[in-house]
Amino acid sequence: MITEVITIDPVRPASQPLAHAGQIIGRGGLVAFPTETVYGLGANAFDADAVGRIFAAKGRPATNPLIVHLADVSDVGRVAADWPAAAARLAQRFWPGPLTLVLPKTAAVPDAVTAGGPTIAIRIPAHRVARGLIAAAGVPLAAPSANRSTRISPTRAEHVLAAMDGRIDLVLDGGPTPAGLESTVLDLTTSPPRLLRPGLVTRAEMEAVIGPIESTGQTAERPGESRASAPLRSPGLLERHYAPLVPLECVDSESRRRVEELHRQGARIGWLTFRGEPLLSLSGVSVIELPGDPAGYAVGLYSALHAFEAQAVDRIVVELPPATDAWLAVRDRLRRASSPA
Ligand code: TXA
Ligand code: MG
């Protein structure tokens, strides 16, 4: 299969490429498109065969359900069987935006989307290209991140192509995604609601709207938890990881020392920091410094990891940001990306 690439304006997307992409969706094809978080790989959520092609293109286990993307709140009833008051309040506050809600599904949603389960994850993305594509397709889009399973999510069309060229019909290239980290996933089918994946919409922001939310063991990393007493858990124990191809090591502090030590051993290092330290200029050490605030850091994180992969470094060393609620999502992705020591 030849993968077509069309450049599209992220702010004022032209209608012709959106209509073309919508037709591809209509005949069961796969279209990668930018959202405000990461690039998604979309198919008609009501077409089980098309959804099956997503799993094949990604190499994703059929047991991992997909997020369904809607153009408007009025479409919720097509896929979700219940719309509790908490959902309405969260949608009012955070949609369109990087928050995914898990609700009971309708019979119209094929089992392939939800991995056979009774619930469905839905969100309305904030990106104009994403909204325009869903509107042009006229159906909800099932869309996981457009990476191969277990690998780093794409924040640029180049990342999508590196993984998916020849495996999908079309990439809408709307430039780098503005937020850079996958959406927050909140399960509203339990009481209290459960945070399944931390993201840029924080637990505190959601609790201010709907009251107490429970953390799952998977994401548990509470504010105030001491950095020294929080050993990184083995990603082998985690259900999902977002792993670069090269080993990635998180260091609590003084990552510079670790980089120098590895450099002495002859390794080529990708060093990811955010501290504004005097940068090392050692041959074989490639440094990327991200902004010192969580939102700014999130924008550049995956691009930095993709860049280190492309440079074929031997090891990535990351200085961990502080263990506070604001950094929860970033730390969650870094821990999942890290290799066993
Ligand atoms: O920002 C995002 O969420 C991006 C963009 C493309 O929207 N999508 C994304 O999709 O990150 P994906 O498939 O890479 O991650 C979806 C997550 C997975 O952890 C999946 O297990 C979970 O949502 N999920 C999907 N449906 C679920 C359900 N019914 N119950 C619980 N978790 C679910
Ligand atoms: Mg993903």
Side-chain angles (χ1 to χ4, degrees), residues 38 58 60 144-147 151 153 182 197 242:
V38 299
K58 279 181 65 86
R60 182 176 178 115
S145 50
N147 50 286
R151 304 284 314 287
S153 291
E182 305 87 347
R197 180 173 72 184
Y242 303 84

Short mmCIF file of all heavy atoms in Angstrom, two decimals, residues 38 58 60 144-147 151 153 182 197 242, ligand 2:
data_model
loop_
_atom_site.label_atom_id
_atom_site.label_comp_id
_atom_site.label_asym_id
_atom_site.label_seq_id
_atom_site.Cartn_x
_atom_site.Cartn_y
_atom_site.Cartn_z
N VAL A 38 -1.47 13.93 20.50
CA VAL A 38 -0.52 13.23 19.63
C VAL A 38 -1.27 12.90 18.33
O VAL A 38 -2.48 13.11 18.25
CB VAL A 38 -0.01 11.92 20.29
CG1 VAL A 38 0.72 12.23 21.60
CG2 VAL A 38 -1.13 10.91 20.52
N LYS A 58 -0.89 -1.36 13.67
CA LYS A 58 -0.11 -1.03 14.87
C LYS A 58 0.60 -2.23 15.50
O LYS A 58 1.51 -2.07 16.30
CB LYS A 58 -1.04 -0.44 15.95
CG LYS A 58 -1.38 1.02 15.77
CD LYS A 58 -2.27 1.50 16.89
CE LYS A 58 -1.65 1.48 18.26
NZ LYS A 58 -0.88 2.66 18.64
N ARG A 60 -1.11 -4.05 17.49
CA ARG A 60 -1.66 -3.86 18.83
C ARG A 60 -2.43 -5.10 19.25
O ARG A 60 -3.21 -5.64 18.46
CB ARG A 60 -2.60 -2.66 18.81
CG ARG A 60 -3.24 -2.29 20.16
CD ARG A 60 -4.06 -1.03 19.95
NE ARG A 60 -4.78 -0.54 21.09
CZ ARG A 60 -4.54 0.63 21.70
NH1 ARG A 60 -3.52 1.36 21.32
NH2 ARG A 60 -5.29 1.04 22.68
N PRO A 144 -6.41 5.15 18.07
CA PRO A 144 -5.31 5.11 19.03
C PRO A 144 -4.21 6.03 18.55
O PRO A 144 -4.29 6.59 17.46
CB PRO A 144 -4.86 3.65 18.96
CG PRO A 144 -5.11 3.27 17.54
CD PRO A 144 -6.33 4.05 17.09
N SER A 145 -3.17 6.20 19.34
CA SER A 145 -2.01 6.95 18.87
C SER A 145 -1.41 6.21 17.66
O SER A 145 -1.44 4.98 17.60
CB SER A 145 -0.99 7.09 19.99
OG SER A 145 -0.72 5.84 20.59
N ALA A 146 -0.86 6.98 16.71
CA ALA A 146 -0.46 6.41 15.42
C ALA A 146 0.96 5.86 15.43
O ALA A 146 1.74 6.07 14.49
CB ALA A 146 -0.63 7.46 14.32
N ASN A 147 1.32 5.16 16.49
CA ASN A 147 2.63 4.51 16.60
C ASN A 147 2.43 3.00 16.56
O ASN A 147 1.33 2.51 16.75
CB ASN A 147 3.28 4.89 17.95
CG ASN A 147 2.32 4.67 19.11
OD1 ASN A 147 1.38 5.45 19.30
ND2 ASN A 147 2.52 3.60 19.87
N ARG A 151 5.44 1.46 21.35
CA ARG A 151 6.48 2.44 21.02
C ARG A 151 6.02 3.87 21.36
O ARG A 151 4.90 4.08 21.81
CB ARG A 151 6.85 2.32 19.54
CG ARG A 151 7.30 0.90 19.15
CD ARG A 151 8.70 0.61 19.62
NE ARG A 151 9.56 1.75 19.31
CZ ARG A 151 9.97 2.07 18.09
NH1 ARG A 151 9.64 1.33 17.06
NH2 ARG A 151 10.72 3.12 17.90
N SER A 153 4.63 7.55 21.19
CA SER A 153 3.58 8.19 20.41
C SER A 153 4.16 9.26 19.49
O SER A 153 5.14 9.91 19.82
CB SER A 153 2.56 8.85 21.34
OG SER A 153 1.83 7.88 22.03
N GLU A 182 -0.44 12.15 25.56
CA GLU A 182 -1.78 11.58 25.39
C GLU A 182 -2.75 12.09 26.46
O GLU A 182 -2.36 12.44 27.57
CB GLU A 182 -1.73 10.04 25.47
CG GLU A 182 -0.78 9.37 24.51
CD GLU A 182 0.62 9.25 25.07
OE1 GLU A 182 0.92 9.91 26.10
OE2 GLU A 182 1.41 8.52 24.49
N ARG A 197 -5.31 6.90 33.31
CA ARG A 197 -4.05 7.40 32.73
C ARG A 197 -3.95 8.88 33.02
O ARG A 197 -4.83 9.64 32.63
CB ARG A 197 -4.03 7.16 31.21
CG ARG A 197 -2.74 7.65 30.53
CD ARG A 197 -2.65 7.26 29.07
NE ARG A 197 -3.57 8.01 28.24
CZ ARG A 197 -3.73 7.80 26.93
NH1 ARG A 197 -3.05 6.85 26.32
NH2 ARG A 197 -4.59 8.52 26.24
N TYR A 242 5.50 3.01 26.77
CA TYR A 242 5.71 3.91 25.64
C TYR A 242 7.22 3.95 25.48
O TYR A 242 7.88 4.87 25.94
CB TYR A 242 5.17 5.29 25.97
CG TYR A 242 3.71 5.28 26.37
CD1 TYR A 242 3.31 5.01 27.66
CD2 TYR A 242 2.74 5.53 25.41
CE1 TYR A 242 1.97 4.99 28.00
CE2 TYR A 242 1.40 5.52 25.74
CZ TYR A 242 1.02 5.25 27.04
OH TYR A 242 -0.29 5.24 27.37
MG MG B 2 -0.86 4.81 22.44
#
